[in-house]
Amino acid sequence: IIGAANGSDLIAQMNQQTPDIVLLDLHMPIMDGTAALEIIRFQFPKVRVIILSLQYSDIHVRKYMKLGARGYLCKDVEFEQVVHALREVATVGYFFYDKVSPDLIAELVEDKTIDPNTNEYPPEELTAREIEIIQQLFAQNTNQEIA
């Protein structure tokens, strides 16, 4: 697990250690999440991205799924929902929050933005340490505090 204060730092760290899944905040300084997502999809096509945002609507979900995200979460979700999203993305390939309309999911399947029958990664459980780190990230702890 890596943590970054901005998109530019995230990309630099990913060049050193590539994670399987990225929880990507859309609102970061220097390089925002949208720009970081585009770079991740180009430079690290196997990395799965879950978007974290304050804004939630089918319009936002559609936009970021079409840009290559595998899930979308509001920042105010409970920690257990984040862990569930990580597990779903790791095992199923995609995660859809309860608020996503069934019509949007059907649209994304129909236009082949997502393929519910494809999962190119084997299922993998989160370790106790990974769960602990995610909890600390959500508590706004710094990388030094987490280490």
Side-chain angles (χ1 to χ4, degrees), residues 86-124:
L86 289 166
R87 287 185 174 138
E88 285 290 302
V89 168
T91 59
V92 177
Y94 296 94
F95 170 77
F96 291 103
Y97 196 46
D98 323 13
K99 296 179 183 179
V100 175
S101 75
D103 290 340
L104 175 57
I105 296 171
E107 173 191 325
L108 294 170
V109 169
E110 187 175 315
D111 73 8
K112 306 225 184 307
T113 297
I114 63 169
D115 181 356
N117 301 313
T118 302
N119 183 16
E120 64 270 14
Y121 297 101
E124 197 173 296

Side-chain angles (χ1 to χ4, degrees), residues 39-122:
I39 292 170
I40 291 168
R41 298 309 316 143
F42 180 73
Q43 291 185 1
F44 309 95
K46 291 191 176 201
V47 172
R48 294 176 177 190
V49 177
I50 300 172
I51 299 295
L52 292 172
S53 179
L54 293 172
Q55 298 178 335
Y56 189 86
S57 71
D58 279 359
I59 292 168
H60 288 99
V61 173
R62 178 184 297 108
K63 173 183 177 179
Y64 290 100
M65 295 300 285
K66 288 185 179 282
L67 286 174
R70 297 295 192 103
Y72 191 105
L73 286 171
C74 289
K75 287 185 179 180
D76 63 355
V77 298
E78 297 292 323
F79 173 74
E80 291 77 21
Q81 186 75 18
V82 176
V83 172
H84 177 68
L86 289 166
R87 287 185 174 138
E88 285 290 302
V89 168
T91 59
V92 177
Y94 296 94
F95 170 77
F96 291 103
Y97 196 46
D98 323 13
K99 296 179 183 179
V100 175
S101 75
D103 290 340
L104 175 57
I105 296 171
E107 173 191 325
L108 294 170
V109 169
E110 187 175 315
D111 73 8
K112 306 225 184 307
T113 297
I114 63 169
D115 181 356
N117 301 313
T118 302
N119 183 16
E120 64 270 14
Y121 297 101

